Amino acid sequence: MAKKKEKVVVEERKYAAPAIESFDIILAPIVTEKTMKQQQEENKITLKVKKDANKIEIKNAFEAIFNVHVEKINVINVRPTKKRVGRYTGTVSGYKKAIVKLAAGEALDLFKETEA
């Protein structure tokens, strides 16, 4: 008697599962009044990213993690700023900022509430 092959149903994904390196590239969202306005009106999301990441790596990581299409990416190096508290001076470290424009018809809500 021949064994019957069972059909395996696999949930279809839009993209492949994100690699661990993808989570190392994107560090955190930047939340200000300006970035929230850009997110609502222009479909742009502002992120803090790894200092040595380039546009291609940022795009691939963002698409893999959030399963959306990216239309355009702008990258800015934010310089460190000098701060003073009393007589002590120091610097706040700089970082790299990426502004990601999503393709038309795509939407992403980074701040949705999850059930506990």
Side-chain angles (χ1 to χ4, degrees), residues 14-15 41-44 68-72 100-108:
K14 217 178 197 185
Y15 301 97
E41 295 176 1
E42 301 173 27
N43 211 13
K44 291 182 179 178
V68 292
H69 289 290
V70 173
E71 183 178 313
K72 182 180 175 182
V100 178
K101 181 173 170 91
L102 300 179
E106 297 281 342
L108 182 63

Side-chain angles (χ1 to χ4, degrees), residues 13-110:
R13 288 183 61 119
K14 217 178 197 185
Y15 301 97
I20 294 174
E21 295 84 25
S22 298
F23 293 101
D24 292 336
I25 292 172
I26 297 175
L27 302 178
I30 297 174
V31 181
T32 62
E33 288 181 13
K34 182 177 180 179
T35 60
M36 296 308 292
K37 186 176 179 182
Q38 282 181 335
Q39 184 176 354
Q40 292 171 355
E41 295 176 1
E42 301 173 27
N43 211 13
K44 291 182 179 178
I45 297 170
T46 307
L47 305 163
K48 189 174 187 179
V49 295
K50 195 174 172 184
K51 276 201 176 226
D52 60 347
N54 60 30
K55 288 183 179 184
I56 296 167
E57 292 172 342
I58 295 168
K59 179 181 178 180
N60 292 338
F62 195 84
E63 287 181 343
I65 292 171
F66 296 110
N67 291 330
V68 292
H69 289 290
V70 173
E71 183 178 313
K72 182 180 175 182
I73 293 183
N74 293 336
V75 179
I76 303 109
N77 282 315
V78 179
R79 293 184 177 196
T81 56
K82 292 182 181 179
K83 295 289 181 179
R84 180 178 166 145
V85 178
R87 67 179 186 169
Y88 302 104
T89 58
T91 58
V92 175
S93 63
Y95 57 93
K96 187 177 252 188
K97 177 168 66 171
I99 300 173
V100 178
K101 181 173 170 91
L102 300 179
E106 297 281 342
L108 182 63
D109 186 17
L110 294 175

